[in-house]
Each structure stands twice: as structure tokens, then as C-alpha cells.
Amino acid sequence: MSFIFIFIGLMLLLDLLWWWLLARLTFSRSARLVVGIFMATQMLGLIWLIGGRLLQRGWDRALPKFAITAIFIWHFMGLGLFSAVGIALLPIFVIWKIASRNRDRGALKTTSSPNNAGGLSRREFLGFAAAIAPPLFTLSLSSVALRQLNHFRVRRFVLPIRNLPSDLDGTTIAQVSDIHVGRFTSGQVLKKMVNTVNELRSDLILLTGDLINDSLTDLSEGLDLVRAMDARFGSYLIEGNHDLIDNGPKFESRVKASGIPFLLDESTIVQVRGAPIQLLGLSWTRTRGKERDHAISQSVRDLLRQQTAGAFPILLAHHPHAFDAASEAGLPLTLSGHTHGGQLMLNEQAGFGPAMFRYWSGLYEHRDSKLIVSNGVGNWFPLRINAPAEIVHITLRRS
């Protein structure tokens, strides 16, 4: 919790710094007014969101979705980006300032040219452009993000599996990951998700974590969504890190009590087309830092002790790095989420995905083991770039 307060405090401090700097850059009253309104609403909005979240007042739901989107984009993208650019340009600005003063000392004062009367000087124009850049950046991306929030694709994979039982040839799975029911994923898009999943008419529906975004007030709606999803042989759920933000034990107890099959370091055997499939559900590993991957791998090895001979195993693990231990054990199929496809990607190989994860989107293979990482269908952050929201449809084939 102390880290959160430090992080938010740093954001507000940077907000104040940028407000002062942007106001200094322009001599135009209208531009200063724009800057003042933008920065004041951003700071008040952030305090409102954080206060409502910490006090469990639900204030964040009272703001329009566009306003929440703009607050997130400025504080989680714009603030860092503009600060990085500002730091990079600081030496150039200092050199230019020193050179300008030296020129001014040796130059004679001259009157302004009549051609410039009433117009902006180059310095004034650059200052005006710099001052309005943050509001334009934020509002433009917020408009793009708002249009994205109600869209997702169906991404299809046909997976040849060696030694797949013949009865399971053609088995279909709808993988639904990272719904994030909450401030950005709400309303009609949730009904659209359920309708799309049901239209797939899959044998199994497997939900690989982050049912809710961060508040248990959304859990009832999330559980109703899962109940509304229809598969021939059932729906099964595991937890993700966002599910545990508010109150992890309470989330787990409420889902257990719901009657929805919830695999918490547990396994279950499902008869599909007359053949057994064993679903192994990994709980979220609380270990952080450099030891996380080791802890995930140990959790996978512990879970695999429940493996039943003769049943086709599928590992459900929110974090995709579970694939390391799963492939080492020769597990044929692992389904994961968590990465949001990298969220912000320059292309398929450059962006937050490869910077943060070994596996971040789509199909990965190691020997006879396969991993599918879903981009997720919902959003904790409103903007995606080259990482579209998705429901994954998998068809298993005997090879």
C-alpha cells in the first residue's frame, strides 16, 4: 500500500511540475486557460479515482467513461512519455538558452518588423504548440481508446496434438481470459462477449483468470456472465492477479460458493466425447520479483502431482511463464492470459509484450508441448495498440 501512495504522489508532483512548465511556455491567455483546465481536471480526477477506490465509495463509477479513460491515458502514458522527452531535450534547451543570451548581449536592440505585428513569433508559436500538446495527445488517444473498448475478435487455432486420444479429435475450446469486469469493461460489451462465446458452441469454456478488474462489487456480475456462457461439457475458471486486488480470500470463497467449477491448485476430470480430459488449474503465485518464475514453476510441479494417467491434461495458468515447467514435464497444452498481448506494441515483436514476458500472444511450442496466450477480451487499461482484444477458439486435432 505504501508503494501505491508513493507512486500516486509522484504522479501528482509531476502533474504540478508540468502545469508550471506548460504555463511558462506560452504567453497566450487562452493557451494558459487550456493548460490550467486540463491539468486541474487531471489532478482532481486522479484524486477522485484513487479516493473512491481506497474508501470503497464507488466514486470512479460516477465519472463518464471518457473522463476515466483520459485520466488513465495521461497518467499511465502521457505523463511518462512527455517527461522522458523533456529530460532528453533538457541539455539541448540549456545550450540553446545560453547561446541565445550570448547573442542578445552582443546584438543591438532593433524594433519589430511591421510584418510580424499582431502575429506570433517563432518562440511564441513553439511555446503555444508545446503547451497544448499534452491535452491534444490525451484527448485524441482517449477518443481512439473509447471506440476500442466495445470491440474484440475471435482468434482461431487448430492444434495438432501428438497422441491425442482419437475420441478427442475435433474437440473445441473457447478460451476466455482477462474479462476485467469493471470500469472499462461493462455494459453492452459484456452481453456481446456472452453471445459470441455461445455462438461458438464449444465443447469446453475455459476462463484463464482476471474475471474482475479490481473490485469485489463487480464479482456478482462476473459470475452471472460465466453462468450465461454455454458449453456442451461445462465452463471452468481459474483466478488471476486482478481478482485478488480487493480481497483475495473473499474472492476465492465467493467463487467457490457460487457453484461454478473453480480450480484453485486443483484438478478435475471431465468426460468429453467419451474420453477423459483433466483440467489442472493453477492459482496465482503471490511471489514477486526475481523469484516469481521459480515459484511459478514449483507451483506447476506441485500441481502436476495430481495428474491422472490415461486422461488428456490441460494446464490453466494465468501467468504464461508456467509454460516453462509444463513443457519440461511434457504437458501437451497450456492456456494462459495476463499479458493483454503486450497491450502497447509497435509490431508483433516490439513493445511491452517481449519487454515483460517470454510468451505474450498466440501460439508457442516446445517439443510436443503447446502454449496459447490470449490477449484477453476485456481491459484494465483503455488503449490497445497492435494487441487487439480477443476470445480464443481452439480445435484439437490428432497428429
Side-chain angles (χ1 to χ4, degrees):
M1 188 63 72
S2 59
F3 168 77
I4 294 175
F5 283 115
I6 292 172
F7 186 65
I8 299 302
L10 179 61
M11 282 185 174
L12 292 172
L13 183 62
L14 285 173
D15 279 334
L16 285 172
L17 179 62
W18 272 104
W19 191 345
W20 174 82
L21 180 62
L22 293 174
R24 295 265 302 182
L25 283 173
T26 181
F27 299 99
S28 166
R29 289 184 179 179
S30 58
R32 285 184 175 178
L33 180 63
V34 169
V35 168
I37 292 173
F38 175 75
M39 295 307 304
T41 54
Q42 285 291 341
M43 293 179 67
L44 290 173
L46 181 63
I47 293 169
W48 181 273
L49 289 180
I50 298 302
R53 182 68 191 86
L54 292 177
L55 298 175
Q56 299 289 318
R57 299 295 186 184
W59 296 340
D60 55 327
R61 309 305 171 88
L63 290 177
K65 193 172 288 188
F66 184 84
I68 302 174
T69 299
I71 293 167
F72 267 68
I73 286 179
W74 168 247
H75 286 101
F76 288 95
M77 280 187 69
L79 196 58
L81 179 63
F82 278 90
S83 297
V85 171
I87 291 171
L89 294 178
L90 186 59
I92 298 174
F93 176 78
V94 171
I95 293 171
W96 173 79
K97 199 72 173 175
I98 293 172
S100 296
R101 286 181 177 177
N102 290 336
R103 283 197 303 268
D104 290 343
R105 287 171 185 167
L108 294 174
K109 293 183 179 180
T110 59
T111 58
S112 299
S113 169
N115 292 333
N116 291 332
L120 291 176
S121 69
R122 183 173 64 179
R123 178 184 175 189
E124 289 171 337
F125 174 78
L126 291 175
F128 177 81
I132 66 170
L136 286 178
F137 170 88
T138 302
L139 297 178
S140 298
L141 285 188
S142 297
S143 298
V144 173
L146 209 61
R147 290 195 296 270
Q148 288 183 344
L149 289 177
N150 292 326
H151 295 282
F152 57 87
R153 68 183 181 183
V154 176
R155 191 179 189 185
R156 299 177 186 271
F157 295 92
V158 178
L159 299 184
I161 304 290
R162 181 174 294 183
N163 299 323
L164 179 74
S166 56
D167 288 342
L168 295 178
D169 185 44
T171 296
T172 56
I173 300 168
Q175 183 192 0
V176 186
S177 194
D178 298 84
I179 298 178
H180 288 277
V181 178
R183 61 175 63 90
F184 293 121
T185 312
S186 60
Q188 289 299 314
V189 71
L190 295 174
K191 296 179 181 178
K192 184 180 176 183
M193 288 177 193
V194 171
N195 291 337
T196 300
V197 169
N198 290 344
E199 287 169 2
L200 293 173
R201 300 185 182 278
S202 302
D203 293 317
L204 290 170
I205 296 173
L206 304 179
L207 296 100
T208 46
D210 282 358
L211 175 63
I212 60 174
N213 188 55
D214 57 19
S215 176
L216 284 175
T217 58
D218 298 308
L219 181 55
S220 294
E221 185 175 12
L223 294 174
D224 287 341
L225 288 175
V226 179
R227 292 188 187 98
M229 295 179 183
D230 186 28
R232 292 187 183 94
F233 302 100
S235 302
Y236 298 84
L237 175 71
I238 64 168
E239 68 183 13
N241 57 310
H242 276 254
D243 296 321
L244 311 178
I245 289 176
D246 198 344
N247 186 323
K250 192 171 183 179
F251 172 87
E252 293 171 349
S253 64
R254 284 182 60 182
V255 178
K256 282 286 187 183
S258 72
I260 295 170
F262 179 45
L263 304 177
L264 201 61
D265 286 330
E266 297 168 316
S267 66
T268 189
I269 294 180
V270 189
Q271 293 294 325
V272 177
R273 302 183 177 193
I277 291 180
Q278 185 175 23
L279 302 174
L280 300 118
L282 193 69
S283 66
W284 178 253
T285 301
R286 271 72 162 181
T287 304
R288 298 181 179 181
K290 296 180 180 179
E291 298 301 315
R292 169 171 285 176
D293 282 358
H294 175 75
I296 291 173
S297 294
Q298 186 58 53
S299 296
V300 172
R301 286 190 286 268
D302 292 342
L303 179 59
L304 291 183
R305 292 173 186 166
Q306 301 179 30
Q307 195 170 348
T308 300
F312 178 75
I314 300 176
L315 175 64
L316 310 180
H318 187 62
H319 200 299
H321 289 183
F323 183 58
D324 292 339
S327 60
E328 181 183 313
L331 212 66
L333 180 59
T334 300
L335 303 181
S336 294
H338 185 55
T339 67
H340 289 234
Q343 192 79 46
L344 305 173
M345 297 287 292
L346 296 175
N347 55 42
E348 291 185 355
Q349 299 300 322
F352 282 105
M356 299 176 67
F357 305 100
R358 288 190 290 281
Y359 322 104
W360 62 90
S361 179
L363 173 64
Y364 298 87
E365 299 181 83
H366 181 67
R367 298 191 181 94
D368 291 333
S369 298
K370 292 178 170 60
L371 165 69
I372 296 289
V373 183
S374 169
N375 290 1
V377 69
N379 297 278
W380 76 269
F381 185 75
L383 182 68
R384 290 174 177 263
I385 299 176
N386 293 323
E390 65 187 20
I391 291 169
V392 172
H393 183 265
I394 302 165
T395 303
L396 304 182
R397 289 295 181 189
R398 181 179 173 88
S399 68

